[in-house]
Amino acid sequence: MPQDPSEYVSKIFKDGIFKDKVVFCTGGNGSICSGQVRALVHLGANACIVGRNVEKTEGMAKDIATAREGAKVIGIGACDVRSMESVQKAVDTCVKELGRIDFCIAGAAGNFLAPMSQLSSNAFKTVIDIDLIGSYNCAKACLPELVKAAKEHPTGESTVPSGRIIFISATLHYGGTVLQTHAVAAKAGVDALSSQVCIEYGPLGITSNVISPGPIGGTEGMDRLAKKAKEGTNPWKVIPSGRMGKVKDIADATVYLFSDAANYVNGEVLVVDGGAWRTTSTGRDFPYPDFLLEGGSVEGVGGMKKQKSGSKL
Ligand code: COA
């Protein structure tokens, strides 16, 4: 269904900045990745999205194509990122049908909540295979095309540079996350993988960066990883920005990283979470953000500041 562009991309980006560019995206029928691709297509790109479910992937491709008149978006189903052969076939089809690959988003992921005591070795391996090996397969298959495209449209010499890859990661491994051993290990690997692509392919004109979304509303990920909030409560107020993220927040970050505004950003992790991961250790005795908003004073602990007579702050 056509969506109003204001729902998925900010107005500050110029129409047509990605004209004639082609983006290849794994996990492209998921809520976040489809939003990223929709924004790029709206701004001029053509796209190839891949996924496991044939009907969903083909349907999503048609839906994304409504973002711009004349857009070409192909959906390749029955593609499992765990199989290099499967990803390579999709990349070959993309190049055959759309002519090239300028940008790549390695976005396919799988996740669920489980303590280690209920996480079989195969369950752990499954998430490593989808998130980490799948990201490697995606990068491995796309990089030759990205290098070709970067030679044609090098960063710095063109207002529309090519040869960029974004890995979708998470912030789960920054401080550790209970029930997420599998995803923590996988996403730590994804971050390391992106750095390696930067080091080895940067000299060939490639930029490789990570986007790490926080909790993003209306996504399958949130359905799987968080309980529904009780009516009248806002569990997301513990995020410094005071709300959950939107798909548009991630799409905007994607447009930035693929645009020539990010020419010198390489090997970087762009966390888009409203500051969420920074508050993970706050809130037990001095609930965040209520304590700050109510102007409370710290009491009931040792080492409290002694008030000097007549002193302010
Ligand atoms: N808790 C514990 N173990 C689980 C689990 C859960 N909630 N869900 C699946 N597993 C285990 C399975 O039992 C199996 O292990 P076993 O063989 O020892 O029993 C293993 O994980 C693989 O499960 P299976 O269903 O065969 O794998 P799959 O390849 O069909 O599916 C998943 C992969 C499990 C990641 C599935 O959730 C998926 O397809 N996810 C994609 C969408 C998604 O997660 N999106 C959100 C991204 S944030």
Side-chain angles (χ1 to χ4, degrees):
M1 223 173 59
Q3 287 181 22
D4 190 301
S6 65
E7 283 174 35
Y8 59 84
V9 67
S10 288
K11 284 197 183 92
I12 60 151
F13 301 114
K14 210 163 69 183
D15 271 347
I17 46 171
F18 296 129
K19 186 172 178 294
D20 298 330
K21 300 288 178 191
V22 173
V23 57
F24 179 88
C25 176
T26 61
N29 61 32
S31 344
I32 292 183
C33 291
S34 62
Q36 294 175 283
V37 175
R38 198 183 294 270
L40 299 168
V41 167
H42 175 69
L43 296 171
N46 291 320
C48 172
I49 61 166
V50 304
R52 273 192 288 167
N53 184 305
V54 177
E55 209 178 312
K56 255 183 160 179
T57 309
E58 290 177 356
M60 183 57 84
K62 281 196 189 121
D63 195 56
I64 293 173
T66 63
R68 179 176 50 82
E69 215 184 312
K72 283 188 218 154
V73 182
I74 55 175
I76 302 177
C79 175
D80 191 327
V81 293
R82 290 171 279 193
S83 150
M84 181 62 192
E85 199 191 345
S86 175
V87 179
Q88 187 63 60
K89 222 168 113 193
V91 164
D92 293 344
T93 307
C94 174
V95 174
K96 198 165 153 227
E97 293 195 19
L98 300 177
R100 53 192 296 113
I101 298 176
D102 299 278
F103 305 134
C104 165
I105 299 172
N111 203 359
F112 48 79
L113 292 180
M116 268 180 81
S117 59
Q118 291 163 34
L119 187 69
S120 69
S121 173
N122 187 45
F124 180 82
K125 181 179 178 300
T126 298
V127 173
I128 297 288
D129 281 349
I130 298 173
D131 292 21
L132 180 53
I133 309 291
S135 295
Y136 185 78
N137 290 345
C138 175
K140 182 84 181 149
C142 284
L143 275 164
E145 294 303 322
L146 295 174
V147 168
K148 260 193 244 166
K151 270 198 191 125
E152 246 178 79
H153 300 293
T155 286
E157 288 175 27
S158 156
T159 52
V160 277
S162 296
R164 301 205 166 171
I165 181 162
I166 292 174
F167 293 89
I168 303 302
S169 186
T171 60
L172 304 168
H173 49 299
Y174 295 0
T177 306
V178 70
L179 310 181
Q180 288 281 263
T181 304
H182 41 306
V184 162
K187 295 303 193 183
V190 169
D191 288 4
L193 171 61
S194 174
S195 309
Q196 290 304 118
V197 174
C198 160
I199 294 167
E200 296 203 2
Y201 284 86
L204 298 174
I206 301 299
T207 71
S208 174
N209 292 292
V210 167
I211 291 179
S212 295
I216 304 296
T219 59
E220 184 183 352
M222 283 317 293
D223 273 357
R224 286 169 169 260
L225 307 177
K227 289 188 179 176
K228 297 251 175 307
K230 285 198 191 109
E231 214 161 298
T233 64
N234 174 18
W236 308 109
K237 69 180 180 182
V238 295
I239 294 175
S241 293
R243 64 167 175 90
M244 273 183 118
K246 299 175 185 164
V247 169
K248 178 172 178 263
D249 296 317
I250 308 301
D252 281 342
T254 306
V255 173
Y256 161 66
L257 285 176
F258 283 160
S259 78
D260 68 329
N263 282 354
Y264 203 49
V265 181
N266 203 356
E268 199 43 76
V269 176
L270 180 51
V271 178
V272 185
D273 74 341
W277 80 269
R278 297 187 182 277
T279 60
T280 46
S281 65
T282 58
R284 199 188 58 179
D285 294 325
F286 306 98
Y288 181 90
D290 312 74
F291 180 78
L292 293 175
L293 295 174
E294 286 158 13
S297 22
V298 175
E299 284 167 6
V301 291
M304 278 156 44
K305 187 174 175 179
K306 290 186 180 64
Q307 287 297 323
K308 290 183 196 141
S309 60
S311 78
K312 289 187 181 155
L313 275 178

